[in-house]
Each structure stands twice: as structure tokens, then as C-alpha cells.
Amino acid sequence: MANGVIVESRIQATNIDALNRTAKAAVDVAGGGLVALTASGTQGNEVWTAAAPASGSLGGLWIAYNPSEHLTKVGGKFFAGLSEDPRDYVNIAGRPFDCFKPVVGDEIDITVDCVEATSASSVVAGDFLESKDGQTTFTRKAAGTGATAGSTAFKVEYVGTAPFPAGSIGMEQVKMFRCVCVQA
């Protein structure tokens, strides 16, 4: 089971607290997942409600950080430390997780698992990765097409690999995309 992993190369949220939130979702959200946030509506509750983006509101989205709790839920119970590979963990539904608001110019690296499976293998430098209705993963738009107006979109700077722990000894090379935010 591999979930998305994000590396925040150069994001303004590192230095601006207002670009960071804590949220809960009704579904699991992988690191690098796109979410729409809604305020809790309860005075003093700073945990926002996260949901997959919906048609008509694909811009202004937030991106989930990698899980800070490395927990796996099995049979309703939580277990820690089952794997060294950060792709084995996800922000678990119903548990608070951190997310940030991308700003135009932010740079991120994301694993191939952050992109919908049907288009992940065809991503090349110059393409756009953007939000899509009903999913937390990015979707590919060809370079010639351009990013969809009103979406949260990143331009792919280059396609490369990064090492992650293998199932036993050694490292596995995983496809990664270096992206720059062009529409927030």
C-alpha cells in the first residue's frame, strides 16, 4: 500500500502561520492530497473540516502534509511503527492532520501516488497537475492545454526519482514530480 508523499521544497507556509491549518476528514487523505476546508462552526474549535474538492470550487484548496502520526488502523485499533516507508502511512479519517495553503510560486515535490492513476504514467515536464472534482489526488493536464481556469494548479518542472525504504534492506527509487504553483 503506497500513499502519496509530499516534500515541501519551498513553500511560503513555512514562514506564514496563516497558511497552515489543522483539519479532519471523513476519509483517509494521503500526504500531498488536495482538500477543501470548512470552518468547524464551533467557537474555539480550530480543527477545520476537510473534504475532497467539489465541482465549482476547485480553486483555493489546501494540501495535506505527510502524516505526523505514523499509525496504521487495523480492525478499529491503531498500531505504530509497522514500516519505515512513509508511503505506508496516511492521514487517517477522523483524526486531525495538518495542511497548508499553496501560494503562486511555491515549489513542492510529490510522489507518483499523488497523481490519479490513469494519468500518472504520462506526466512530463511542462504538464500541469491540478485539482479535480471529487478526488484528493492531482490530475494531469497536457502542457499545450494549460491549467483549467479556477483550479488549484501546479506546473511540472521536472520528473525524477527519490529513494524510499524498500520492503527489507535497501532503497526503492520512486517517481517524483517537482512542481511550481501557478494557480492557487
Side-chain angles (χ1 to χ4, degrees), residues 17-31:
D17 290 340
L19 297 176
N20 291 280
R21 295 276 190 275
T22 299
K24 274 189 202 178
V27 296
D28 291 348
V29 178

Side-chain angles (χ1 to χ4, degrees), residues 105-139:
D106 282 356
E107 292 180 11
I108 61 172
D109 295 346
I110 56 174
T111 59
V112 68
D113 299 307
C114 291
V115 180
E116 70 178 333
T118 57
S119 63
S121 62
S122 57
V123 175
V124 295
D127 283 350
F128 294 91
L129 298 177
E130 64 182 24
S131 53
K132 185 176 179 182
D133 180 34
Q135 68 183 39
T136 59
T137 54
F138 289 89
T139 190

Side-chain angles (χ1 to χ4, degrees), residues 53-58 132-134:
S55 182
S57 58
L58 297 176
K132 185 176 179 182
D133 180 34

Side-chain angles (χ1 to χ4, degrees), residues 7-13 19 63 100-109 152-155 157 178-184:
V7 177
E8 309 87 25
S9 300
R10 293 175 183 259
I11 62 168
Q12 294 181 47
L19 297 176
I63 298 178
F100 73 94
K101 174 96 168 88
V103 176
V104 172
D106 282 356
E107 292 180 11
I108 61 172
D109 295 346
T152 298
F154 288 78
K155 184 173 185 179
E157 294 290 308
R178 164 66 53 95
C179 307
V180 172
C181 185
V182 293
Q183 290 179 178

Side-chain angles (χ1 to χ4, degrees), residues 20-23 63-68 91 95-100:
N20 291 280
R21 295 276 190 275
T22 299
I63 298 178
Y65 284 113
N66 297 324
S68 57
N91 293 303
R95 294 185 65 88
F97 65 92
D98 295 323
C99 52
F100 73 94

